[in-house]
Amino acid sequence: MGQYSLQSPALTVIARLSIHHTDFNDILVAGLRRNFRKCCQNIVAVALETPSELAALACAAFRDLVWEDQSYAAREMGADLKYESVELGHLAYEIFLFRKNKAYKKLAKKPKDIVGAKQDYAQSLTNLSVALSRIGRNVEAVGCAKEALEVLQPLVKNNIDDTFQAIYASVLGNYSTRLNAVGRNEEALSFVQQAVAIHKRLADKDSGRFEPGYATSLNNYANRLSDTGQSAEALGFAQQAVTIYKQLADKDPGSFEPGYATSLSNYANSLGEIGQYAEAQDFAQQAVAIRKRLAEKNPDRFEPDYADSLNNYANSLGEIGQYAEAQSVAQQALAIHKRLVEKNPDRFEPDYAMSLNNYAIRLSEAGQYAEAQGSAQQAAAIYERLAVKTPARYEFDAYNSYFNVRFLHWLEEIQPVNGGWAEPLPPLPSEIAAHQQAELRFYAAVLQACLAVSPKQRREGVQQALTVWQALAPAQQNPALEYYLCAWGWLNHHEPTALTEPAGAELWRRFYQQRQGRLPHWLHTVAERLNFTWPDEAA
């Protein structure tokens, strides 16, 4: 504590100078480099307390240190950089890159404990992959995670030690997460499935030691199932994770409340994906309450999760017809993500785009189409940039955002401008996964029906939408239900004899009751523009 009191004032001065006198940066970096051993433990605290360029200056200073000083700083600072940090993301990358290189040097010397050295190297690669993902370098993160797995795989058959097996399962789970971040969802599912099997076996032997890892694997497995359109299967695994984390958090909230909040949020998402919106709203609200409390204590670490929970909660509120409340909550999430993206765009641009799209939905529910279109256009621009860098991960989002913008433009305009409604939709990019292409073909058919300039074109678009709908998985149908109801509502009003399946009336009845008769404003606009009326609850 005494050392901290001596060092922190000087670091605070450096932090403030870095904002107001950028021409001093070279001098400040040189000062940090000379005193890095003395102040490295305090850099993290001061960087978090004083928003500035201190972390960036520390990165530059660390890169210029001699090996021995880098080793000392990496050892002393590693624990403080374990968790995600907006301010410290790039500094964490530098530290974990050094630790990976150090572990590799040790392994290259072929020590007697070669298995232990390989475990250390694999763990350093895993930590580096996480650090890379936290600054948005997802493709590089996949490479590190894959190398970690390749280091350990030859040792698996001959090593039944529980600790080794737990490390191997964690490496499998991490590789799955990194694959998911670049859109390789089917591969991601197969690796996390292996991790779950190992963690379950370990937890059955020693629950006190291995249950946290098992719960994490269950959460990840549920997410990967959802990502591949298997939401019904995901629900049970998400529920198991909630049960385990609740027990852990009751015993040790300081250690396990963050994980409990994550499991609650995942379970809420799974419930929403299968249409159980009232139940989803309850679990989403619980996650918000925990993450709000955590973010108030440690905003740098927990604000990103808090914003995600707010978006999930806004979605669940919208699904039960509480539109004003949903818009207010979504606006809070957007404000947080805007602040985060200004600090670390590589890491938070996808989250900011998601918040912009979510807020556009909430605005459209209130009939604020111009504002909704502006928000959706910002999201589309971000996703378009991201899709250039990582098409497998973001082409779907980019194309879906394009649909949102076109649809909101149609809702806002009374008459087509310069033939804009008739502008053909671009073809689907080949990078989009097959199950996602079907979802986008459905949205395209609904949009074409709305944009149609002749009754024949409209009928064809509606019938195409209803045909594609039948082929969608339940996880894809639920978020698209309102658009399905637009197609069904038009055909039910204008050509009821052309309806070939009876499910539409029941889906409408449940949708209407779930929202207690309160429809999103944009559904009324669609009905008005396409010249049909919505049935009453007794349809």
Side-chain angles (χ1 to χ4, degrees):
M1 189 68 178
Q3 185 185 20
Y4 179 84
S5 65
L6 289 171
Q7 298 298 335
S8 60
L11 287 171
T12 302
V13 170
I14 290 174
R16 291 172 179 165
L17 285 171
S18 73
I19 304 172
H20 303 294
H21 298 281
T22 56
D23 51 320
F24 289 178
N25 281 359
D26 289 345
I27 297 171
L28 298 177
V29 169
L32 284 172
R33 185 171 59 246
R34 286 194 301 271
N35 295 280
F36 215 91
R37 273 181 173 259
K38 298 176 182 177
C39 67
C40 63
Q41 288 181 288
N42 306 325
I43 286 172
V44 171
V46 176
L48 296 180
E49 291 169 359
T50 310
S52 65
E53 295 301 311
L54 178 59
L57 299 178
C59 279
F62 179 82
R63 285 193 292 267
D64 288 341
L65 295 177
V66 298
W67 175 271
E68 291 77 10
D69 287 347
Q70 284 183 325
S71 183
Y72 176 86
R75 183 175 66 251
E76 295 299 316
M77 300 176 76
D80 292 331
L81 298 170
K82 178 181 178 181
Y83 300 107
E84 180 162 13
S85 166
V86 180
E87 295 287 345
L88 301 167
H90 288 84
L91 179 58
Y93 161 72
E94 294 290 343
I95 295 294
F96 288 115
L97 176 62
F98 173 83
R99 292 175 73 161
K100 186 273 291 187
N101 291 336
K102 184 178 180 180
Y104 179 77
K105 283 191 173 184
K106 179 181 176 181
L107 179 61
K109 294 178 180 178
K110 298 183 179 180
K112 290 182 179 179
D113 183 11
I114 190 68
V115 173
K118 287 185 175 182
Q119 286 182 195
D120 291 344
Y121 181 53
Q123 190 62 57
S124 72
L125 284 163
T126 295
N127 291 340
L128 180 58
S129 74
V130 173
L132 283 163
S133 72
R134 288 173 176 172
I135 57 174
R137 292 164 62 175
N138 292 316
V139 175
E140 293 169 81
V142 169
C144 284
K146 182 180 181 182
E147 186 179 352
L149 189 59
E150 290 171 342
V151 169
L152 294 186
Q153 275 178 329
L155 308 176
V156 173
K157 290 183 179 179
N158 299 320
N159 198 326
I160 60 172
D161 175 71
D162 287 349
T163 299
F164 175 85
Q165 291 291 322
I167 292 172
Y168 182 61
S170 296
V171 169
L172 284 165
N174 180 64
Y175 186 44
S176 169
T177 301
R178 304 307 144 217
L179 288 169
N180 172 256
V182 295
R184 293 163 62 180
N185 296 331
E186 295 290 346
E187 293 173 81
L189 178 62
S190 70
F191 285 102
V192 76
Q193 198 168 20
Q194 297 175 57
V196 168
I198 296 170
H199 274 132
K200 184 180 187 307
R201 187 168 65 247
L202 293 171
D204 287 344
K205 288 175 64 177
D206 187 345
S207 60
R209 183 180 172 191
F210 294 113
E211 265 198 332
Y214 180 43
T216 299
S217 275
L218 288 167
N219 264 333
N220 291 339
Y221 188 40
N223 288 338
R224 299 297 82 78
L225 285 167
S226 293
D227 292 335
T228 52
Q230 302 176 64
S231 294
E233 296 86 343
L235 187 65
F237 295 102
Q239 189 174 30
Q240 288 182 59
V242 168
T243 300
I244 295 171
Y245 264 121
K246 185 178 188 310
Q247 293 169 350
L248 293 169
D250 286 344
K251 295 176 183 177
D252 185 357
S255 298
F256 295 111
E257 262 203 329
Y260 181 42
T262 298
S263 66
L264 287 167
S265 190
N266 287 346
Y267 188 47
N269 288 340
S270 294
L271 287 166
E273 286 174 358
I274 63 169
Q276 296 184 24
Y277 299 116
E279 298 89 337
Q281 188 260 345
D282 178 55
F283 286 99
Q285 190 173 24
Q286 292 181 56
V288 165
I290 294 172
R291 283 178 164 169
K292 182 176 188 293
R293 187 170 65 249
L294 293 171
E296 287 171 348
K297 293 179 181 178
N298 188 342
D300 182 73
R301 177 180 168 191
F302 291 113
E303 264 203 330
D305 291 337
Y306 179 44
D308 290 343
S309 283
L310 286 168
N311 268 326
N312 292 342
Y313 186 42
N315 291 340
S316 64
L317 287 168
E319 294 291 354
I320 58 176
Q322 297 183 24
Y323 305 120
E325 298 90 334
Q327 186 179 134
S328 174
V329 173
Q331 193 170 24
Q332 294 177 57
L334 181 61
I336 295 172
H337 276 138
K338 186 175 188 299
R339 191 165 63 245
L340 294 172
V341 81
E342 289 169 353
K343 295 180 179 179
N344 190 342
D346 286 341
R347 165 63 181 86
F348 290 108
E349 265 204 328
D351 297 324
Y352 182 46
M354 181 268 295
S355 267
L356 285 164
N357 263 341
N358 197 37
Y359 190 49
I361 292 170
R362 307 285 81 89
L363 289 166
S364 69
E365 289 170 344
Q368 298 171 252
Y369 303 133
E371 298 91 332
Q373 188 178 356
S375 188
Q377 284 174 330
Q378 291 182 64
I382 294 171
Y383 279 131
E384 188 174 345
R385 287 199 307 273
L386 294 171
V388 172
K389 295 179 182 178
T390 318
R393 175 64 181 86
Y394 293 112
E395 280 285 14
F396 174 84
D397 296 309
Y399 207 90
N400 197 34
S401 290
Y402 170 79
F403 282 159
N404 290 342
V405 172
R406 288 287 301 273
F407 185 66
L408 287 165
H409 175 72
W410 176 78
L411 288 171
E412 184 191 6
E413 296 291 337
I414 301 302
Q415 295 294 333
V417 178
N418 298 326
W421 288 2
E423 178 187 339
L425 299 176
L428 292 176
S430 60
E431 290 85 355
I432 296 175
H435 74 282
Q436 291 181 317
Q437 291 215 13
E439 189 174 347
L440 291 178
R441 281 196 298 273
F442 167 75
Y443 287 124
V446 174
L447 182 58
Q448 291 283 30
C450 293
L451 300 176
V453 294
S454 73
K456 180 177 181 294
Q457 290 175 326
R458 180 154 295 151
R459 185 184 310 109
E460 289 173 352
V462 164
Q463 290 176 333
Q464 174 69 8
L466 295 178
T467 298
V468 177
W469 169 268
Q470 297 302 318
L472 296 180
Q476 297 171 302
Q477 289 181 340
N478 283 309
L481 177 60
E482 290 157 312
Y483 297 92
Y484 164 80
L485 291 173
C486 290
W488 173 84
W490 184 89
L491 203 61
N492 183 64
H493 181 93
H494 290 286
E495 300 181 24
T497 57
L499 290 169
T500 58
E501 46 85 24
E506 175 60 20
L507 288 172
W508 164 254
R509 185 188 66 79
R510 281 188 290 172
F511 179 85
Y512 187 93
Q513 289 183 343
Q514 183 179 293
R515 289 159 178 77
Q516 301 177 44
R518 299 186 295 265
L519 300 186
H521 193 282
W522 69 268
L523 284 184
H524 291 295
T525 302
V526 169
E528 180 183 349
R529 299 286 294 280
L530 299 186
N531 191 30
F532 72 90
T533 57
W534 292 107
D536 62 23
E537 182 182 358

